[in-house]
């Protein structure tokens, strides 16, 4: 799903973030027994809960783990019964083969070009617009803002046919431009979140800077950008992942292997090598495609989880 | 655009107005070029016979009447609706998970990460690995079923199991997201509510029924609406896992059918009409959300 398709209910002011150590309270009421028995039943409850969550975690992880395990098998090892969870032997060579078996490297490059250019420039234009919508006077400001927001109600499939026709008529089909250019104009969801975030920044700092003779661009760069940094970072990561994972727009615009993004390349791997039952190769390519987002997620886990929780909890 | 302000302050504000307009101009132009204009064009094209190459020929309501006689359109509409069964199932499981993770105990951060991994994984890669997991001969699912003596079906090739397979995968993919939102909601429920209820002798079930459920209702509502909107646009899974729309068209979704009609069959006019219907559906669902949820709504100045 592309970022444009995610429709979020506006949150109110930023709420308290989820503490990293888990919940602040438990939902069950405190028992009316003695303190000691309450404590031990709590402990037992925790053990049972942990057990259930662990079983669930195994189910959640299993397909991903199996992908990785399969990616290290021989072509025949895939069909062995009972299934091998630990491949024997380990075929690390599969990870070497994927680079020559298809345009994986070009796919990564293309995805990086699209995702980086869209999110870096798009974030700047979004932040600038959010600043104007939150802190500046302008005629028809709210009408314009509501107009932009209403655009979120229109799903991409409704727009894709005319968009395709427009880009086809200027000869941009089978280039990365149709994926990049619309994103450069900013992201309405990001504008919305940054605008909300800016409500907690006092107007007086902007006014004080104006009196000191700073231009609006200077104010934006030296005061607003540092103030919105955490919100901007979270939105940036979410948008980056959405663009990186997008599939529908690339499949419409890109045909030739040289221009395809990573998601299309692995989908083609899947179609092409399934016939040859070269599943280790497919799984290795899929795993490589998953890795960048996995790494981004693990590094920025806190920001991502907080911003997701913020976006919906006040729903 | 001329600025309309009180004359005595106009000079002071004109510069600010100009700067602000300049700052919002980029997204506004983007909106006009990539949303409003395509939308109007889609509506226009939906009344025409158009192959995307030669000029559209006006046909009135032909495309719309054709839709209701189109077996495949009706089937893809039904398939899309049917696959939404996963929404309530996912909500119940994710609320249970959130309750479990809301306890004060070790390891909740770890579990949160694990359950959230599928959410951030690309749907294309996830579709590939589940296609593989659903393989009839040596897929993960059937091997698991084999352990308890069940001979599993060939999930994606069987008309009876292709939709359940896609539903299972969708629930797996979305669980972490709804769990996280529920967790955030649970953590903002004031503790004294439970304490007061416990003092009055309410059982754990009564507390759950009369405190927890109402307190997380906004999140439930939000998740239902966004899941319906997302579910109505399901495409990638279908396209990768069942490239031909599944056995006997059993897994074709609306967006898949629109995509096929537009870019394979070059029936852009007809596809536009279907996309307008889809857009209307999504608009209505979103509108209902905004109306019913007004209490929690932000206000603009």
């Amino acid at each position: 799903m592309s970022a444009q398709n995610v429709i979020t209910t506006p949150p109110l002011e930023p709420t308290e973030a989820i503490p990293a150590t888990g919940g602040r309270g438990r939902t069950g009421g405190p028992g009316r027994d003695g303190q000691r028995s309450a404590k031990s039943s709590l402990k037992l409850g925790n053990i049972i809960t942990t057990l259930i969550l662990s079983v669930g975690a195994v189910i959640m992880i299993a397909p991903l783990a199996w992908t990785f395990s399969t990616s290290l098998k021989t072509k025949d090892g895939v069909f062995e019964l009972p299934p091998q969870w630990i491949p024997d032997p380990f075929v690390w060579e599969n990870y070497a083969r994927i680079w020559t078996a298809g345009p994986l490297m070009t796919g990564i490059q293309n995805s990086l070009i699209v995702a980086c250019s869209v999110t870096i420039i798009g974030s700047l234009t979004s932040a600038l617009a959010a600043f104007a919508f939150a802190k500046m006077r302008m005629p028809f400001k709210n009408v314009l803002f509501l107009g932009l927001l209403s655009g979120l109600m229109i799903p991409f499939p409704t727009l894709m046919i005319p968009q395709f026709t427009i880009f086809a008529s200027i000869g941009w089909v089978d280039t990365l431009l149709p994926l990049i250019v619309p994103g450069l104009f900013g992201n309405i969801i990001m504008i919305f979140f940054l605008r909300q975030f800016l409500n907690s920044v006092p107007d007086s700092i902007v006014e004080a800077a104006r009196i000191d003779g700073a231009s609006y661009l200077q104010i934006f760069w030296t005061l607003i950008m540092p103030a919105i940094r955490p919100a901007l970072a979270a939105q940036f990561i979410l948008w980056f992942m959405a663009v990186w994972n997008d599939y529908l727009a690339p499949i419409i615009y890109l045909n030739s292997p040289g221009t395809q993004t990573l998601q299309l390349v692995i989908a083609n791997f899947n179609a092409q090598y399934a016939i040859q039952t070269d599943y280790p190769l497919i799984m290795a390519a899929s795993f490589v495609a998953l890795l960048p987002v996995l790494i981004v997620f693990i590094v920025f886990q806190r920001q991502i989880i907080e911003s997701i929780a913020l976006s919906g909890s006040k729903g | 655009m001329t600025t309309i302000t009180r004359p005595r302050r106009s000079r002071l504000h004109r510069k600010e107005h100009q700067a602000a307009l300049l700052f919002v101009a980029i997204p506004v132009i983007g909106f006009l070029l990539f949303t409003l204009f395509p939308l109007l064009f889609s509506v226009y094209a939906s009344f025409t016979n158009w192959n995307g190459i030669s000029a559209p020929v006006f046909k009135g309501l032909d495309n719309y009447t054709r839709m209701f006689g189109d077996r495949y359109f009706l089937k893809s509409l039904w398939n899309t609706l049917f696959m939404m069964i996963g929404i309530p199932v996912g909500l119940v499981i994710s609320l249970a998970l959130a309750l479990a993770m809301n306890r004060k105990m070790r390891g909740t951060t770890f579990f949160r990460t694990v359950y959230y991994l599928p959410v951030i994984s690309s749907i294309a890669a996830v579709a590939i690995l589940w296609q593989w997991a659903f393989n009839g001969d040596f897929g993960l699912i059937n091997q698991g079923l084999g352990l308890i003596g069940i001979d599993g079906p060939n999930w994606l090739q069987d008309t009876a199991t292709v939709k359940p397979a896609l539903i299972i995968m969708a629930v797996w993919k979305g669980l972490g997201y709804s769990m996280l939102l529920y967790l955030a909601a649970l953590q903002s429920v004031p503790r004294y509510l439970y304490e007061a209820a416990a003092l009055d002798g309410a059982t754990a079930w009564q507390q759950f029924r009369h405190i927890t459920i109402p307190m997380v209702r906004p999140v439930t509502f939000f998740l239902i609406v966004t899941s319906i909107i997302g579910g109505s646009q399901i495409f990638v899974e279908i396209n990768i896992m069942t490239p031909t729309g599944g056995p006997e068209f059993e897994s074709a979704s609306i967006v898949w059918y629109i995509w096929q009609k537009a870019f394979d069959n070059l029936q852009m006019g007809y596809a536009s009409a279907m996309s307008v219907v889809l857009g209307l559906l999504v608009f209505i669902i979103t509108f209902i959300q905004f109306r019913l949820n007004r209490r929690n709504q932000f206000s603009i100045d």
Side-chain angles (χ1 to χ4, degrees), chain B residues 47-179:
Chain B
F47 296 111
T48 67
N49 190 357
W50 179 43
N51 60 12
I53 301 156
S54 46
V57 181
F58 193 78
K59 283 280 181 187
L61 286 170
D62 272 15
N63 287 324
Y64 290 94
T65 48
R66 176 182 163 193
M67 231 179 273
F68 295 100
D70 181 349
R71 203 160 66 80
Y72 293 109
F73 170 73
L74 296 175
K75 186 140 192 184
S76 61
L77 194 66
W78 163 246
N79 290 342
T80 311
L81 272 177
F82 188 92
M83 285 188 267
M84 289 188 189
I85 290 175
I87 297 172
V89 177
L91 282 187
V92 172
I93 301 175
S94 54
L95 179 57
L97 283 172
L99 284 169
M101 279 189 216
N102 196 31
R103 297 173 70 99
K104 255 199 190 92
M105 57 178 213
R106 288 165 162 275
T108 46
T109 312
F110 169 75
F111 285 128
R112 226 165 49 192
T113 309
V114 167
Y115 283 89
Y116 203 69
L117 278 180
V119 180
I120 52 120
S121 305
S122 89
I123 183 69
V126 161
I128 292 171
L129 64 99
W130 274 93
Q131 180 184 28
W132 165 232
F134 280 126
N135 185 296
D137 298 321
F138 41 81
L140 182 62
I141 306 281
N142 282 0
Q143 287 189 357
L145 289 175
L147 290 179
I148 48 172
I150 298 173
D151 193 14
N154 193 354
W155 293 85
L156 298 173
Q157 314 300 328
D158 195 320
T159 50
T161 51
V162 63
K163 279 198 277 275
L166 290 164
I167 292 168
I168 291 170
M169 176 189 143
V171 170
W172 175 87
K173 177 97 166 76
L175 219 48
Y177 177 73
S178 38
M179 176 209 78

Side-chain angles (χ1 to χ4, degrees), chain A residues 9-10 18 20 24-25 29 46 53 56-57 78-79 83 137 142 158 163 185 216 245 263 270 301 308 315, chain B residues 16-17 26 34 42 102-104 109 113 115-116 120 122 131-132 138 143 187 207 222 275 289 293 298 300:
Chain A
T9 307
I18 305 170
R24 259 179 277 137
N46 278 353
L53 283 178
V78 168
F79 306 103
R137 274 172 289 238
N142 293 338
T158 306
Q163 279 195 11
F185 288 83
Y216 284 104
N245 289 338
Q263 307 305 331
N270 184 42
Q301 217 199 104
I308 302 268
Chain B
E16 183 171 355
H17 292 166
I26 301 169
F34 302 113
S42 262
N102 196 31
R103 297 173 70 99
K104 255 199 190 92
T109 312
T113 309
Y115 283 89
Y116 203 69
I120 52 120
S122 89
Q131 180 184 28
W132 165 232
F138 41 81
Q143 287 189 357
Q187 293 186 349
Q207 291 178 26
F222 171 79
S275 80
Q289 179 200 9
N293 220 13
F298 68 101
I300 292 186

